[in-house]
Amino acid sequence: MVCNIIDKIRLLFRKDKESYLCFYRMLGFYPRNIEIYQQALLHRSSSIKEKGRLLNNERLEFLGDAILDAIVADIVYKHFEGKREGFLTNTRSKIVQRETLNRVAVEIGLNKLIKYATKQSSHNSYMCGNAFEALIGAIYLDRGYRVCKKFMEERIIDRYLNLEKISRKEVNFKSKLIEWSQKNKFEIEFNLLDQSVDADQNPTFETQITVENIPAGSGKGYSKKESQQEAARETLSKIKSDPQFIDAIFAAKAEREQAQEAKTEADGMPQQEETVREELLESKKTAEKYDDVERIISEAEEAAFLEESGKASKENKKEKV
C-alpha cells in the first residue's frame, strides 16, 4: 500500500503517465522499470535492434514460464491439502497450458497491448499466452517472487480461474476418447475434412470423428491438433448426452462384430477341410507303410523257411548215402 502511494507520487513527474496507468489497471501496482514490461509485450515478429542484438519478449517468456510453474505449484500445493503428486501435477498443467493462458491474457486485456507484425496470428502461435508468461517474467525481475505470487492469486486465479473446477476438467479430449474406444472396443477415426486459410491468411483445419463409421463430433482450429481436440470434445459430449447416437454406434458395433465372426467361420471351413484331407492322407500313408512292412517280414520269413527246408533235404540225402 505504502509502495503504491510512493509510486503514485513518482508518477506525477513521469512523461509517459498513460503507460504507467495502463499497467497499473492491469497489474494492481505501478511498474518501477516500465521498459521491461514493454519488452514483455514485444513479439519476435516486431523485434527491435538494441546494442547489436534483437530485442523481444522471448527471454522474458523463458523466465516467466519457470516462475509461473513454481508459483502455480506453490498455490496448488497449499490449496489442495492431502492430494497426491499426480493430481497436483495435472492441475498445475491445466492452469499453465497455453489455452488457459491465452484466455487469461484476453481477459485482462493483454492481447490489445502486444506489438506484432500484421500477418502474425495469435491463434496460430499462442502469442497471448506467451506474452502472459513474459509479463510474469517482467514482474519477477521488477518486483520479485512475492509480488508475482500475489498478482497470480488476487488478479488472476481469484477473478478468472476456479481451481476446483479446473482440477476436475478433462483437457486432453482426444486421449480420453481413444481410451474410451479401446476400453469399449469401438472403432474410431479422425478424418481431416478441410484445410484452408482464414481472412488473415492463417491456416485452418477441420476434423470430423467417426465412431463405427457413424459421424460424431467435428471441430475447427488453427492446427490439426486443435481441430482434433475440439472434435473429440464434441464427440465425448455426444456420447454422454445423446441416447440415439449411443444406440446407433452400439448397433453398428454389433453388426461389425457379427460380420467379423461370420468371415472368421467362413475362412476357417476350408482350413478344416484341408486338415481332414491331410489327416486322411497321412493315415493312408501310414497304412501303406504298415502293409509294406508286413509284406517284407512275410517274404523274409518265407525265404528263411525255404532256406531251412533246403538244408534239411540235403542232410537227409547225405544220411541215405
Side-chain angles (χ1 to χ4, degrees), residues 72-176:
V72 173
D74 190 349
I75 293 169
V76 167
Y77 178 84
K78 291 172 181 174
H79 183 84
F80 296 101
E81 291 185 5
K83 292 292 186 180
R84 298 176 67 86
E85 178 192 0
F87 173 88
L88 299 176
T89 300
N90 269 343
T91 303
R92 180 185 63 184
S93 298
K94 293 171 188 176
I95 294 172
V96 301
Q97 67 174 339
R98 282 294 180 274
E99 288 81 1
T100 304
L101 298 185
N102 276 343
R103 180 172 64 81
V104 167
V106 172
E107 293 278 5
I108 65 176
L110 189 65
N111 58 315
K112 298 175 182 178
L113 303 176
I114 301 171
K115 296 180 180 179
Y116 60 94
T118 308
K119 293 182 180 179
Q120 184 64 39
S121 168
S122 60
H123 296 287
N124 192 38
S125 65
Y126 297 122
M127 186 194 308
C128 296
N130 295 342
F132 183 84
E133 287 183 336
L135 180 66
I136 295 296
I139 297 171
Y140 175 75
L141 291 178
D142 186 48
R143 291 295 190 108
Y145 180 87
R146 185 184 61 82
V147 174
C148 264
K149 186 182 176 187
K150 185 178 180 182
F151 168 74
M152 279 301 298
E153 286 178 321
E154 297 180 2
R155 310 286 295 195
I156 303 300
I157 291 177
D158 287 353
R159 297 186 181 189
Y160 306 111
L161 302 176
N162 184 320
L163 293 183
E164 297 293 340
K165 187 180 290 187
I166 287 176
S167 69
R168 295 190 299 269
K169 182 182 177 183
E170 293 293 345
V171 174
N172 195 338
F173 298 109
K174 181 179 178 180
S175 176
K176 193 72 177 175

Side-chain angles (χ1 to χ4, degrees), residues 195-210:
Q195 181 175 346
S196 56
V197 294
D198 63 10
D200 297 321
Q201 299 303 304
N202 298 304
T204 61
F205 302 85
E206 183 177 2
T207 296
Q208 184 180 65
I209 295 173
T210 59

Side-chain angles (χ1 to χ4, degrees), residues 148-319:
C148 264
K149 186 182 176 187
K150 185 178 180 182
F151 168 74
M152 279 301 298
E153 286 178 321
E154 297 180 2
R155 310 286 295 195
I156 303 300
I157 291 177
D158 287 353
R159 297 186 181 189
Y160 306 111
L161 302 176
N162 184 320
L163 293 183
E164 297 293 340
K165 187 180 290 187
I166 287 176
S167 69
R168 295 190 299 269
K169 182 182 177 183
E170 293 293 345
V171 174
N172 195 338
F173 298 109
K174 181 179 178 180
S175 176
K176 193 72 177 175
L177 179 62
I178 292 173
E179 181 184 340
W180 171 85
S181 68
Q182 291 174 344
K183 181 179 178 181
N184 296 283
K185 298 180 180 178
F186 280 98
E187 288 188 349
I188 64 170
E189 290 183 4
F190 289 79
N191 303 306
L192 183 64
L193 294 183
D194 184 49
Q195 181 175 346
S196 56
V197 294
D198 63 10
D200 297 321
Q201 299 303 304
N202 298 304
T204 61
F205 302 85
E206 183 177 2
T207 296
Q208 184 180 65
I209 295 173
T210 59
V211 181
E212 296 293 341
N213 290 321
I214 296 175
S218 61
K220 294 182 179 181
Y222 288 90
S223 68
K224 288 182 182 178
K225 182 179 178 181
E226 189 178 335
S227 69
Q228 288 175 349
Q229 284 287 344
E230 180 59 26
R233 183 195 65 75
E234 189 174 304
T235 301
L236 286 170
S237 177
K238 206 167 186 179
I239 290 169
K240 292 177 182 177
S241 59
D242 190 341
Q244 291 182 341
F245 176 72
I246 291 294
D247 291 342
I249 62 175
F250 267 97
K253 176 189 172 187
E255 187 176 340
R256 171 178 59 82
E257 289 176 341
Q258 287 175 1
Q260 288 175 342
E261 288 175 5
K263 185 177 184 301
T264 301
E265 289 177 2
D267 292 342
M269 286 177 67
Q271 183 64 35
Q272 290 173 359
E273 291 174 0
E274 182 65 27
T275 303
V276 170
R277 281 197 297 268
E278 288 178 358
E279 289 176 352
L280 289 172
L281 183 61
E282 188 65 29
S283 297
K284 185 178 179 182
K285 287 180 179 178
T286 303
E288 289 175 353
K289 183 178 179 182
Y290 176 78
D291 291 342
D292 287 343
V293 171
E294 288 293 312
R295 179 177 53 78
I296 292 168
I297 292 172
S298 178
E299 289 175 354
E301 287 177 344
E302 186 177 351
F305 175 76
L306 291 173
E307 187 178 349
E308 287 296 328
S309 297
K311 286 181 181 180
S313 177
K314 287 180 181 179
E315 289 294 329
N316 290 334
K317 285 180 181 180
K318 285 181 180 179
E319 288 178 359

Side-chain angles (χ1 to χ4, degrees), residues 51-86:
K51 296 180 181 179
R53 64 186 180 89
L54 290 175
L55 191 68
N56 54 50
N57 67 357
E58 286 186 334
R59 282 171 54 83
L60 285 171
E61 179 192 334
F62 163 78
L63 177 62
D65 179 38
I67 299 301
L68 189 61
D69 267 356
I71 289 172
V72 173
D74 190 349
I75 293 169
V76 167
Y77 178 84
K78 291 172 181 174
H79 183 84
F80 296 101
E81 291 185 5
K83 292 292 186 180
R84 298 176 67 86
E85 178 192 0

